[in-house]
Amino acid sequence: MRQIPAVRQGHAATRGLRVTLVLGLLAFAGCVQKDSYVPPDLFYLFATYPVGKNPTSVTTADFNQDGLTDLITTNIANNSLSLLFGNGDGTFKDQVQIEAAKEPRALALNDYNGDGWMDLAVACAGSDHVAIFLGLANGHFGQGQRYTVNKTPVSIASGDFNGDQKPDLVVALRNDKVKVFLGNGDGTFTEGVLYEYGDTPTSIAVADLNRDGKPDLAVTNGGPMSSAVSIWLGKGDGTFQKPTDYRTGKRPLVVGFADFNNDQLTDLLVMNGEMDTFTIFLGNGDGTFQAGKEAGADAGPVFGLARDFNGDHLPDVAVANVQSNDLSILYGRGDGTFQYPPQNYKTKGGPFAIASLALTTKHAAEEPGLAIANNGTGSVSIFLHRGLKASGAPAAQAQS
């Protein structure tokens, strides 16, 4: 009988061993298949309250200083603000509507006149005004000064830009400009510098990004020639250095802040209006950022809020998706990326903005949920958390 050479015998044995190993691994994989990630179900829709027509923002604060969280919305289609006083248990009293200038788009809270009550600065896109509303002792508001801007203010934020311990304002204007107003400390403002830069600014937010004690700016530019977030480092005298741009996804709409990789440095969260994505920029601590990492949730993300929802001390992201009419919660891995899939919750029509809702009970301070402004249905939906106790200050909210 013809013998098979030893080398060929070895090859045949090796092939047989490989087949056996592969079949064994396939059999093992079939028995012990790894389960896919299942996100925790931490929220539920608790209640929905009517507000004015087409709300574009929602903000929470204790306006009447009774220790309970209240809500306010900007309602772009009927030129009003809706103020809802909280009962402390996730329910709210009927809205009180406040007449504003035409098309209020966004607002910034601060005590602008130093009397201890929260005031409002409202960007009114249709009338080219910044309208000031001064807080009263009962939690309501009196009308203050109005300031003309040119033109179409779409986002507004507050900070002390010149170091005089008086809150100032900065406004993003749709015609490629950023305008500063310096506060006088009595609820009035002096016009500051006007910058012409960018491509259709869509949002503006304030934070100390280079840790020098001076507020800086992040501005999203949603025009087709840009699709970038611009970082403006503050000089501390009410002016800013020449901005640096970072490429985002298409048509960025909103920018916010968090520490996504737990390195004690501020990172950026940018919501992109096209291609259903958002972008995370990890900060270097000196006002510069690493290249963006894109992620996604559902269809038409228009607003994002970063905070720790599941108690692991890592920021997660809540996303309002206007096309799919839902709220997405993505749980952070601690490196600027997120677990998939997200947990999605159906909302009322046209979710457009999110605010964190902190309630105080007789037992403890809790972080039980979120308030969602529904642009399509003229309402605010309250989502309550299923029991997570507060573990610290919430991450900064993205403003639109």
Side-chain angles (χ1 to χ4, degrees):
M1 181 172 67
R2 181 171 176 260
Q3 290 186 334
I4 300 174
V7 173
R8 291 182 61 189
Q9 285 182 334
H11 286 169
T14 300
R15 284 196 301 271
L17 179 61
R18 286 174 180 167
V19 170
T20 302
L21 284 173
V22 169
L23 290 174
L25 288 171
L26 288 174
F28 181 77
C31 295
V32 194
Q33 188 173 4
K34 186 178 179 181
D35 291 335
S36 61
Y37 171 74
V38 178
D41 181 12
L42 297 182
F43 291 91
Y44 63 100
L45 177 58
F46 175 70
T48 297
Y49 296 92
V51 295
K53 191 173 182 181
N54 299 127
T56 53
S57 73
V58 58
T59 308
T60 58
D62 180 7
F63 294 114
N64 57 358
Q65 298 186 12
D66 62 355
L68 308 176
T69 303
D70 309 314
L71 300 176
I72 194 164
T73 66
T74 55
N75 310 311
I76 198 168
N78 70 335
N79 307 325
S80 72
L81 314 175
S82 290
L83 176 62
L84 289 78
F85 291 110
N87 297 315
D89 58 358
T91 66
F92 291 84
K93 296 179 173 60
D94 291 342
Q95 64 170 319
V96 176
Q97 284 204 10
I98 303 168
E99 184 180 352
K102 188 177 181 181
E103 296 181 7
R105 179 69 176 80
L107 58 78
L109 300 180
N110 213 320
D111 181 5
Y112 296 116
N113 62 353
D115 65 354
W117 296 94
M118 193 65 70
D119 307 315
L120 312 175
V122 184
C124 299
S127 61
D128 297 337
H129 279 115
V130 171
I132 306 299
F133 293 86
L134 300 177
L136 305 176
N138 59 2
H140 293 269
F141 295 89
Q143 195 169 102
Q145 298 282 348
R146 294 188 179 186
Y147 300 90
T148 301
V149 291
N150 184 22
K151 81 178 193 179
T152 316
V154 294
S155 186
I156 189 167
S158 179
D160 180 11
F161 304 126
N162 59 354
D164 64 356
Q165 310 305 311
K166 300 170 185 176
D168 308 313
L169 295 171
V170 62
V171 189
L173 307 176
R174 187 58 61 87
N175 63 337
D176 308 342
K177 294 181 177 65
V178 171
K179 175 69 175 178
V180 176
F181 288 91
L182 299 177
N184 298 317
D186 59 358
T188 67
F189 294 84
T190 301
E191 289 196 26
V193 65
L194 175 67
Y195 294 99
E196 186 164 357
Y197 185 84
D199 181 15
T200 317
T202 52
S203 76
I204 194 165
V206 175
D208 182 4
L209 301 176
N210 59 353
R211 300 184 294 174
D212 65 352
K214 303 168 185 176
D216 309 310
L217 308 177
V219 181
T220 50
N221 295 285
M225 302 302 294
S226 178
S227 289
V229 59
S230 301
I231 303 302
W232 303 64
L233 298 181
K235 297 180 181 179
D237 60 357
T239 67
F240 296 86
Q241 299 179 31
K242 183 179 178 180
T244 300
D245 289 350
Y246 294 86
R247 190 76 176 177
T248 66
K250 288 188 175 181
R251 195 169 165 254
L253 296 176
V254 177
V255 60
F257 308 110
D259 178 10
F260 289 107
N261 59 345
N262 206 26
D263 62 357
Q264 312 306 309
L265 304 176
T266 302
D267 308 318
L268 302 179
L269 166 65
V270 177
M271 310 307 299
N272 302 312
E274 295 182 9
M275 306 302 291
D276 302 334
T277 67
F278 62 89
T279 309
I280 301 296
F281 295 88
L282 298 180
N284 298 318
D286 58 358
T288 66
F289 294 85
Q290 300 173 31
K293 300 178 182 179
E294 285 200 354
D298 216 334
V302 291
F303 197 98
L305 173 69
R307 65 176 307 142
D308 176 16
F309 294 122
N310 60 356
D312 63 358
H313 305 290
L314 300 173
D316 311 308
V317 173
V319 181
N321 302 293
V322 71
Q323 293 179 15
S324 50
N325 285 325
D326 60 8
L327 165 71
S328 296
I329 307 293
L330 296 98
Y331 295 97
R333 294 191 178 107
D335 60 357
T337 67
F338 299 87
Q339 301 276 8
Y340 280 88
Q343 181 67 256
N344 295 327
Y345 301 90
K346 278 297 178 184
T347 67
K348 302 299 180 181
F352 206 78
I354 308 173
S356 177
L357 180 62
L359 304 183
T360 302
T361 71
K362 62 182 179 180
H363 301 293
E366 296 184 355
E367 301 290 349
L370 300 167
I372 314 296
N374 302 307
N375 184 268
T377 55
S379 65
V380 170
S381 292
I382 305 301
F383 283 82
L384 294 187
H385 197 286
R386 298 187 189 275
L388 175 66
K389 294 293 188 295
S391 59
Q397 177 184 334
Q399 300 181 23
S400 67

